[in-house]
mmCIF file of all heavy atoms in Angstrom:
data_model
loop_
_atom_site.group_PDB
_atom_site.id
_atom_site.type_symbol
_atom_site.label_atom_id
_atom_site.label_comp_id
_atom_site.label_asym_id
_atom_site.label_seq_id
_atom_site.Cartn_x
_atom_site.Cartn_y
_atom_site.Cartn_z
ATOM 1 N N ALA T 151 10.613 -13.895 -34.505
ATOM 2 C CA ALA T 151 10.493 -12.731 -35.419
ATOM 3 C C ALA T 151 11.045 -13.097 -36.800
ATOM 4 O O ALA T 151 10.437 -12.800 -37.842
ATOM 5 C CB ALA T 151 11.231 -11.519 -34.838
ATOM 6 N N ILE T 275 -4.345 -12.728 -21.935
ATOM 7 C CA ILE T 275 -5.127 -11.527 -22.254
ATOM 8 C C ILE T 275 -4.256 -10.259 -22.097
ATOM 9 O O ILE T 275 -4.344 -9.351 -22.902
ATOM 10 C CB ILE T 275 -6.400 -11.458 -21.382
ATOM 11 C CG1 ILE T 275 -7.301 -12.641 -21.753
ATOM 12 C CG2 ILE T 275 -7.126 -10.156 -21.581
ATOM 13 C CD1 ILE T 275 -8.595 -12.703 -20.954
ATOM 14 N N ASN T 283 -0.178 -4.138 -30.051
ATOM 15 C CA ASN T 283 -0.514 -2.733 -30.324
ATOM 16 C C ASN T 283 0.725 -1.821 -30.242
ATOM 17 O O ASN T 283 0.851 -0.884 -31.015
ATOM 18 C CB ASN T 283 -1.606 -2.257 -29.346
ATOM 19 C CG ASN T 283 -2.944 -2.860 -29.722
ATOM 20 O OD1 ASN T 283 -3.158 -3.266 -30.853
ATOM 21 N ND2 ASN T 283 -3.845 -2.955 -28.750
ATOM 22 N N GLY T 344 -17.936 3.786 -3.646
ATOM 23 C CA GLY T 344 -18.587 2.917 -4.618
ATOM 24 C C GLY T 344 -18.483 3.388 -6.074
ATOM 25 O O GLY T 344 -18.811 2.665 -6.981
ATOM 26 N N GLU T 402 14.414 -4.932 -34.207
ATOM 27 C CA GLU T 402 15.777 -5.139 -34.729
ATOM 28 C C GLU T 402 15.742 -6.102 -35.915
ATOM 29 O O GLU T 402 16.374 -5.864 -36.938
ATOM 30 C CB GLU T 402 16.676 -5.734 -33.650
ATOM 31 C CG GLU T 402 17.290 -4.686 -32.760
ATOM 32 C CD GLU T 402 18.208 -5.264 -31.685
ATOM 33 O OE1 GLU T 402 18.613 -6.430 -31.797
ATOM 34 O OE2 GLU T 402 18.436 -4.543 -30.706
ATOM 35 N N PHE T 405 13.861 -4.396 -38.975
ATOM 36 C CA PHE T 405 14.613 -3.334 -39.647
ATOM 37 C C PHE T 405 15.874 -3.880 -40.317
ATOM 38 O O PHE T 405 16.459 -3.215 -41.177
ATOM 39 C CB PHE T 405 14.967 -2.189 -38.676
ATOM 40 C CG PHE T 405 13.748 -1.508 -38.081
ATOM 41 C CD1 PHE T 405 13.856 -0.748 -36.923
ATOM 42 C CD2 PHE T 405 12.519 -1.606 -38.698
ATOM 43 C CE1 PHE T 405 12.736 -0.117 -36.378
ATOM 44 C CE2 PHE T 405 11.379 -0.987 -38.152
ATOM 45 C CZ PHE T 405 11.515 -0.228 -36.997
ATOM 46 N N VAL T 418 -4.794 6.376 -40.399
ATOM 47 C CA VAL T 418 -4.694 5.152 -39.617
ATOM 48 C C VAL T 418 -6.084 4.775 -39.110
ATOM 49 O O VAL T 418 -6.808 5.614 -38.577
ATOM 50 C CB VAL T 418 -3.744 5.359 -38.407
ATOM 51 C CG1 VAL T 418 -3.681 4.083 -37.563
ATOM 52 C CG2 VAL T 418 -2.375 5.766 -38.880
#
Side-chain angles (χ1 to χ4, degrees):
I275 295 180
N283 287 338
E402 274 180 18
F405 298 161
V418 179

